[in-house]
């Protein structure tokens, strides 16, 4: 019976760890989405001339915003 109890605790611990990882993944996704949205909105608000000055074609705004969100959340 002690083995069954130990197994249950082990399963509960694994489940808790899984939820912790899921919560962290959702938090990271929410943070990346906020950075993406802010970056996208700021770049989309620029004129074509302003975008050209910083070297970003209008067609690359979505990609640039996605890459920025990813890079800003890599180390923290």
């Amino acid at each position: 019976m002690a083995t069954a109890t130990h197994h249950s605790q082990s399963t509960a611990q694994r489940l808790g760890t899984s939820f912790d990882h899921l919560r962290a993944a959702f938090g990271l996704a929410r943070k990346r989405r906020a950075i993406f949205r802010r970056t996208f909105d700021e770049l989309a608000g620029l004129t074509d001339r302003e975008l050209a000055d910083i070297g970003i074609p209008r067609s690359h705004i979505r990609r640039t915003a996605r890459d920025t969100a990813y890079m800003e959340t890599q180390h923290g």
Side-chain angles (χ1 to χ4, degrees):
M1 191 53 102
T3 302
T5 302
H6 177 68
H7 180 68
S8 294
Q9 290 173 348
S10 166
T11 301
Q13 289 171 348
R14 283 193 307 253
L15 186 58
T17 300
S18 294
F19 281 128
D20 290 342
H21 288 289
L22 187 58
R23 186 179 310 121
F26 278 125
L28 179 61
R30 186 172 55 238
K31 185 175 181 179
R32 281 186 177 158
R33 181 65 182 168
I35 294 168
F36 169 86
R37 196 74 243 163
R38 185 180 68 240
T39 304
F40 182 89
D41 290 346
E42 289 176 5
L43 291 174
L46 297 176
T47 65
D48 289 339
R49 174 64 188 185
E50 291 167 326
L51 286 169
D53 286 346
I54 60 174
I56 300 174
R58 187 162 296 279
S59 62
H60 289 191
I61 289 175
R62 185 172 304 279
R63 181 186 329 172
T64 302
R66 184 190 62 233
D67 292 348
T68 299
Y70 181 78
M71 287 186 302
E72 287 190 20
T73 55
Q74 277 300 99
H75 300 289

